[in-house]
């Protein structure tokens, strides 16, 4: 996972993740990673519209944002 986070910093790629907070609540977020630490990372969260710190151990799933095809 750290490799994905570091690559996203280098390429300015937006990621999607499913995150469980310390209260056990789940959320799906779009983030732009700023810095990776040993047990956490700092990212801009488009859901909260602010910079947040996330624990690596609380990330349930993470990957590149999916492109949604809309058409007639």
């Amino acid at each position: 996972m750290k490799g994905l986070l570091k690559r996203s910093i280098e390429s300015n790629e937006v990621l999607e993740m499913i995150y469980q907070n310390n209260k056990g609540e789940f959320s799906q977020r779009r983030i732009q990673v700023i810095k990776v630490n040993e047990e956490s990372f700092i990212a801009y969260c488009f859901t909260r519209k602010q910079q947040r710190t996330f624990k690596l151990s609380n990330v349930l799933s993470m990957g590149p944002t999916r492109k949604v095809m809309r058409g007639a």
Side-chain angles (χ1 to χ4, degrees):
M1 184 181 316
K2 283 187 181 180
L4 174 64
L5 292 169
K6 289 178 181 178
R7 280 192 308 273
S8 74
I9 293 172
E10 294 168 3
S11 65
N12 288 324
E13 183 177 21
V14 175
L15 301 175
E16 284 186 45
M17 75 171 174
I18 298 175
Y19 190 77
Q20 182 177 13
N21 67 17
N22 291 331
K23 296 177 185 176
E25 301 166 333
F26 297 94
S27 62
Q28 182 172 352
R29 299 169 184 246
R30 290 179 58 242
I31 59 166
Q32 181 130 33
V33 183
I34 298 166
K35 182 178 178 184
V36 180
N37 299 316
E38 192 61 36
E39 295 181 9
S40 64
F41 63 95
I42 299 169
Y44 179 81
C45 175
F46 292 96
T47 304
R48 302 282 189 235
K49 297 185 173 86
Q50 62 182 335
Q51 186 173 304
R52 307 288 289 229
T53 300
F54 299 98
K55 290 183 182 179
L56 287 168
S57 60
N58 289 3
V59 176
L60 303 178
S61 173
M62 181 179 293
T65 56
R66 291 174 288 176
K67 304 223 183 327
V68 177
M69 301 286 286
R70 296 181 194 254

